[in-house]
């Protein structure tokens, strides 16, 4: 469809040019009529010379007149010869065919025509000056009658008329206007035929300098030289505006076509429309690749092409041309996407999003300065500066509020199964990401910039100190949550799970930051709380068998043990231990504590057991039941999966809660 429209435009331009050529024919006819009149002028001047030459007289007065007339005859003869050359040049310029196939020859013809017109007017002016001198001499010395003086004046009028015609033709007359219109049409046709959208490479690797340079060469050298020659020629006639408009239209369309193959629907979506955090992260990842493509490839090539084609114009029009192409390409839409994230509600994940956006902008900073540094790109420059400001301020604000945000979650309830709270898993994973090599340098740079804006000195260790504060608040939260359980045994399981969670951070960025002594301390606490759990639960049940009680018979003690075991088992049926190896260890400890003593008791009071075997557990059934504990929602924790056990819905729930806390602050 675009090709048909382009052809229709060319056809309309051709018809317009044909009308211009028809009008130019009038000028050609005027020049044709002027030729015989110049010949008539030549005859009149010769006749005048003969008329005023005195027979045999050597009077100096007549000699002077003859000399003036002789000097006027030379330029007049030159005018006749120039008219012949102009007629030949007119034929080439008035041709119906478009000149883009041999544009350099056509431009050369235009220049020859312009030079011929200048030469024509110059010779007309010279001849007029000499003849006016003759008139003054004749009128001042009364050496000829009025009839001859009238003929000289008529000759001057003819030359003045011819001079005026030449000057009009030299000042973008109809003939030159038609020729320039042909150049404009050829410019658009050459540019349109040479257009080719750039291909996007969906790679995670950044663009190399060689890839960017190759992509920045959108047109072959011969095509580029044709466009340059047309612009330079049109500039001599102040006719570049049309070419600039065409260039912006064609190259903007080419830039849009380069981006059309990309899936850019996410740019139009509001941040609130993303249901999952990972969806948002995926969009930002796509945005970063697309942003790099449009800046380093699409706009870099347009910037280079604008400068090459219009760089010779003294007005600096090429920068304004590029600015309009950049806006039309959609760069502002990319910046608005970043702005929508920067202006969204506060949340911990928003900090990561902002750091990702800052990383892209920092990577492209030199490119932005090069491409959009001029006044013509003020709109892009202003929006980019505003985006950087919002990103830096927003990221710094969220980062400083993180410890307080964790503290405010202290009022929430701990998990009913004694597992690791979602907040703890999320925050430890979050801290690991902040300390990762992908984020920590960016975060440090953002904080350094923010401190500089406030005229405050950036202190080394600022990031690590803030992470220490976050971890400290988590520890205080755990103590508070453990006290919220009604059953001590469940609070012990809760603390054991969470201390194990911290020991599993060994080998991670957070674990390395906190150090081995911190990790070992949590390992010791894990053992401590597991021992408290055993003593609080199975230890008390075991005491009913091992302690001598003269008021109860062996049968009663055995029945009491079985009832207590049933009750304890049912209470712990939905409790969890977060790691399989820890679960196996707990099973082993419980079995070692109960089964041998229970076996010994059954063997000691075998007669009682044999009579009531239907109400007592066998050793095998007891051990089987113990091995089913703590497996309700077991999750394997490793250094590489910290926090990854949360489903998208669970992760979003944690983030929503933290977002609410941040927003309410």
């Amino acid at each position: 469809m675009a090709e048909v429209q382009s052809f229709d435009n060319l056809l309309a331009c051709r018809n317009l040019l044909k009308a211009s050529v028809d009008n130019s024919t009038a000028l050609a006819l005027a020049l044709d009529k002027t030729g015989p009149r110049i010949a008539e002028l030549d005859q009149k001047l010769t006749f005048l010379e003969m008329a005023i030459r005195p027979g045999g007289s050597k009077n100096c007065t007549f000699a002077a007149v003859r000399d003036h007339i002789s000097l006027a005859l030379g330029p007049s003869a030159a005018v006749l010869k120039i008219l012949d050359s102009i007629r030949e040049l007119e034929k080439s310029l008035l041709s119906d065919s478009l000149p883009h196939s041999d544009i350099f020859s056509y431009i050369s013809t235009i220049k020859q025509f312009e030079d011929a017109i200048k030469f024509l007017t110059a010779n007309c002016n010279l001849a007029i000056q000499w003849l006016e001198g003759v008139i003054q001499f004749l009128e001042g010395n009364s050496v000829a009658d009025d009839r001859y003086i009238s003929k000289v004046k008529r000759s001057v009028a003819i030359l003045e008329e011819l001079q005026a015609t030449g000057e009009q033709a030299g000042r973008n007359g109809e003939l030159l206007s038609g020729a320039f219109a042909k150049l404009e049409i050829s410019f658009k046709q050459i540019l349109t035929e040479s257009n080719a959208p750039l291909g996007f490479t969906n790679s995670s690797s950044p663009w190399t300098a060689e890839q960017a340079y190759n992509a920045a060469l959108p047109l072959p050298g011969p095509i580029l030289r044709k466009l340059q020659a047309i612009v330079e020629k049109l500039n001599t006639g102040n006719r570049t505006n049309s070419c600039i408009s065409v260039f912006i239209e064609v190259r903007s369309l080419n830039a849009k076509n380069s981006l059309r193959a990309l899936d850019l629907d996410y740019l139009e979506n509001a941040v609130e429309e993303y249901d999952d955090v990972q969806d948002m992260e995926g969009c930002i990842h796509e945005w970063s690749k697309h942003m790099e493509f449009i800046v380093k490839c699409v706009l870099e090539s347009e910037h280079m092409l604008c400068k090459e084609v219009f760089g010779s114009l003294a007005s600096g029009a090429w920068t304004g041309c590029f600015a309009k192409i950049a806006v039309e390409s959609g760069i502002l839409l990319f910046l608005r996407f970043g702005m929508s994230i920067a202006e969204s509600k506060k949340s911990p994940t928003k900090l990561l999003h902002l750091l990702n956006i800052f990383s892209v902008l920092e990577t492209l900073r030199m490119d932005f300065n090069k491409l959009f540094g001029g006044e013509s790109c003020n709109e892009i420059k202003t929006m980019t500066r505003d985006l950087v400001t919002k990103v830096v301020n927003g990221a710094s604000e969220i980062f400083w509020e993180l410890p307080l945000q964790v503290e405010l979650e202290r009022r929430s309830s701990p998990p009913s199964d004694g597992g690791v709270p979602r907040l703890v898993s999320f925050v430890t994973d979050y801290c690991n990401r902040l300390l990762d090599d992908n984020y920590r340098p960016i975060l440090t740079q953002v904080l350094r910039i923010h401190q500089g804006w406030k005229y405050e000195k950036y202190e080394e260790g600022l990031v690590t100190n803030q992470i220490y504060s976050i971890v400290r608040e988590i520890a205080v939260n755990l103590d508070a949550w453990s006290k919220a359980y009604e059953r001590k045994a469940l609070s012990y399981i809760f603390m054991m799970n969470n201390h194990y969670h911290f020991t599993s951070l060994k080998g991670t960025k957070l674990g390395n930051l906190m150090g081995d002594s911190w990790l070992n301390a949590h390992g010791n606490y894990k053992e401590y709380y597991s021992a408290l759990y055993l003593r609080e639960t199975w230890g008390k049940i075991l005491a009913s068998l091992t302690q001598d009680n003269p008021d109860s018979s062996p049968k009663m003690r055995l029945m009491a043990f079985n009832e207590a075991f049933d009750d304890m088992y049912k209470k712990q049926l939905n409790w969890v231990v977060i790691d399989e190896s820890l679960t196996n260890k707990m099973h082993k400890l419980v079995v070692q504590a109960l089964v041998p003593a229970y076996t010994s008791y059954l063997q000691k009071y075998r007669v009682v057991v044999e009579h009531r075997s239907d109400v007592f557990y066998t050793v095998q059934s007891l051990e089987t039941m113990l091995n089913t504990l703590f497996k309700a929602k077991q999750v394997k924790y490793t250094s590489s999966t910290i926090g990854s056990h949360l489903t998208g819905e669970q992760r979003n729930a944690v983030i929503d809660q933290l977002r609410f806390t941040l927003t309410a602050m």
Side-chain angles (χ1 to χ4, degrees), residues 247 340 361 416 486 507 578:
F247 189 89
S340 67
L361 296 176
S416 60
E486 294 181 0
I578 64 173

Side-chain angles (χ1 to χ4, degrees), residues 154-303:
R154 176 58 179 162
S155 299
V156 171
I158 294 173
L159 288 171
E160 287 177 341
E161 183 180 349
L162 182 59
Q163 182 184 20
T165 302
E167 289 176 348
Q168 180 185 2
R171 291 194 302 268
N172 284 353
E174 292 185 354
L175 188 61
L176 272 182
S177 294
F180 286 159
K182 280 189 176 184
L183 289 181
E184 291 169 348
I185 294 173
S186 295
F187 182 90
K188 182 172 184 178
Q189 186 165 347
I190 293 170
L191 191 63
T192 303
E193 291 175 351
S194 305
N195 260 10
L198 296 175
F200 172 71
T201 302
N202 193 1
S203 173
S204 58
S205 303
W207 281 75
T208 64
E210 182 179 358
Q211 287 175 317
Y213 177 78
N214 291 335
L217 297 174
L219 296 181
I223 298 297
L224 191 58
R225 286 189 287 274
K226 286 183 179 182
L227 297 176
Q228 290 170 333
I230 292 175
V231 169
E232 290 174 2
K233 184 68 253 176
L234 290 174
N235 189 41
T236 62
N238 296 320
R239 288 282 296 266
T240 55
N241 288 341
S242 176
C243 279
I244 292 175
S245 298
V246 166
F247 189 89
I248 293 172
E249 175 189 350
V250 174
R251 294 308 302 180
S252 295
L253 180 61
N254 190 73
K256 291 178 181 178
N257 289 337
S258 297
L259 299 177
R260 190 161 293 164
L262 310 179
D263 183 8
L264 301 179
D265 291 342
Y266 66 89
L267 295 177
E268 303 287 352
N269 296 337
V271 175
E272 293 76 10
E273 295 181 17
Y274 294 96
D275 297 328
D276 191 89
V277 175
Q278 292 182 337
D279 290 342
M280 187 75 256
E281 291 177 350
C283 289
I284 293 177
H285 179 66
E286 288 297 303
W287 176 83
S288 66
K289 293 189 297 181
H290 296 162
M291 189 72 164
E292 187 176 21
F293 173 67
I294 188 175
V295 173
K296 283 186 172 291
C297 299
V298 177
L299 294 183
E300 174 66 26
S301 66
E302 298 304 330
H303 185 269

Side-chain angles (χ1 to χ4, degrees), residues 180-469:
F180 286 159
K182 280 189 176 184
L183 289 181
E184 291 169 348
I185 294 173
S186 295
F187 182 90
K188 182 172 184 178
Q189 186 165 347
I190 293 170
L191 191 63
T192 303
E193 291 175 351
S194 305
N195 260 10
L198 296 175
F200 172 71
T201 302
N202 193 1
S203 173
S204 58
S205 303
W207 281 75
T208 64
E210 182 179 358
Q211 287 175 317
Y213 177 78
N214 291 335
L217 297 174
L219 296 181
I223 298 297
L224 191 58
R225 286 189 287 274
K226 286 183 179 182
L227 297 176
Q228 290 170 333
I230 292 175
V231 169
E232 290 174 2
K233 184 68 253 176
L234 290 174
N235 189 41
T236 62
N238 296 320
R239 288 282 296 266
T240 55
N241 288 341
S242 176
C243 279
I244 292 175
S245 298
V246 166
F247 189 89
I248 293 172
E249 175 189 350
V250 174
R251 294 308 302 180
S252 295
L253 180 61
N254 190 73
K256 291 178 181 178
N257 289 337
S258 297
L259 299 177
R260 190 161 293 164
L262 310 179
D263 183 8
L264 301 179
D265 291 342
Y266 66 89
L267 295 177
E268 303 287 352
N269 296 337
V271 175
E272 293 76 10
E273 295 181 17
Y274 294 96
D275 297 328
D276 191 89
V277 175
Q278 292 182 337
D279 290 342
M280 187 75 256
E281 291 177 350
C283 289
I284 293 177
H285 179 66
E286 288 297 303
W287 176 83
S288 66
K289 293 189 297 181
H290 296 162
M291 189 72 164
E292 187 176 21
F293 173 67
I294 188 175
V295 173
K296 283 186 172 291
C297 299
V298 177
L299 294 183
E300 174 66 26
S301 66
E302 298 304 330
H303 185 269
M304 180 181 294
L305 191 58
C306 286
K307 187 174 183 179
E308 289 291 333
V309 175
F310 298 108
S312 62
L313 303 185
S315 61
W318 74 270
T319 55
C321 179
F322 168 73
K324 292 178 180 178
I325 293 174
V327 171
E328 288 294 324
S329 70
I331 184 65
L332 294 179
L333 193 60
F334 283 86
L335 294 175
R336 289 192 189 102
F337 174 81
M339 193 69 76
S340 67
I341 295 176
E343 294 174 347
S344 63
K345 295 178 181 178
K346 289 190 291 185
S347 72
T349 54
K350 179 183 174 180
L351 172 57
L352 302 179
H353 298 337
L354 293 178
L355 294 179
N356 286 328
I357 291 174
F358 181 84
S359 177
V360 173
L361 296 176
E362 177 63 17
T363 301
L364 299 175
R365 179 166 56 89
M366 298 300 294
D367 300 278
F368 267 71
N369 291 341
K370 172 186 175 183
L371 299 178
F372 313 122
E375 293 184 2
S376 301
C377 296
N378 275 342
E379 184 179 7
I380 299 174
K381 193 162 46 176
T382 300
M383 183 174 290
T384 303
R385 183 169 54 248
D386 291 345
L387 176 58
V388 172
T389 301
K390 288 182 180 294
V391 167
V392 171
N393 288 338
S396 301
E397 184 179 353
I398 294 174
F399 181 72
W400 290 121
E401 292 175 356
L402 287 176
L404 181 58
Q405 180 185 355
V406 174
E407 178 187 348
L408 292 175
E409 290 300 308
R410 198 168 297 159
R411 294 169 295 184
S412 61
S413 301
S416 60
D417 58 7
V420 176
R422 295 173 182 174
L423 177 68
V424 174
S425 300
F426 176 83
V427 171
T428 52
D429 178 57
Y430 186 77
C431 290
N432 266 319
R433 296 186 70 179
L434 289 180
L435 293 170
D436 188 78
D437 294 339
N438 292 327
Y439 284 108
R440 185 168 182 173
I442 304 171
L443 177 59
T444 300
Q445 185 177 2
V446 166
L447 296 175
R448 192 185 300 274
I449 293 172
H450 189 255
Q451 294 292 95
W453 287 351
K454 297 192 299 180
Y455 302 100
E456 297 178 1
K457 183 179 179 181
Y458 176 82
E459 297 181 2
E460 297 297 333
L462 188 150
V463 173
T464 56
N465 289 337
Q466 190 74 344
I467 297 297
Y468 288 144
S469 298

Side-chain angles (χ1 to χ4, degrees), residues 465-528:
N465 289 337
Q466 190 74 344
I467 297 297
Y468 288 144
S469 298
I470 295 172
V471 174
R472 188 161 48 246
E473 294 300 330
I474 293 177
V476 177
N477 283 11
L478 291 176
D479 288 337
W481 288 331
S482 68
K483 296 174 183 178
Y485 289 104
E486 294 181 0
R487 297 185 178 90
K488 286 186 178 181
L490 183 56
S491 71
Y492 297 150
I493 287 290
F494 171 78
M495 294 300 285
M496 181 190 69
N497 279 327
N498 282 277
H499 284 294
Y500 177 82
H501 172 73
F502 288 127
T503 62
S504 67
L505 295 173
K506 184 178 180 62
T508 67
K509 295 291 184 180
L510 180 57
N512 295 337
L513 174 66
M514 302 306 295
D516 289 338
S517 60
W518 183 83
L519 293 169
N520 293 335
H522 282 289
N524 294 334
Y525 276 116
K526 177 198 68 174
E527 299 295 335
Y528 171 73

Side-chain angles (χ1 to χ4, degrees), residues 13-59:
C13 291
R14 181 184 180 280
N15 294 334
L16 180 61
L17 179 60
K18 182 65 168 59
S20 178
V21 169
D22 292 340
N23 292 332
S24 300
T25 306
L27 174 62
L29 293 175
L31 292 173
D32 287 340
K33 291 178 180 179
T34 305
R37 295 169 71 183
I38 291 295
E40 177 187 353
L41 170 64
D42 187 43
Q43 292 176 0
K44 289 179 179 179
L45 291 174
T46 304
F47 176 77
L48 178 61
E49 180 185 18
M50 293 175 62
I52 65 174
R53 182 184 298 131
S57 176
K58 302 297 183 181
N59 189 291

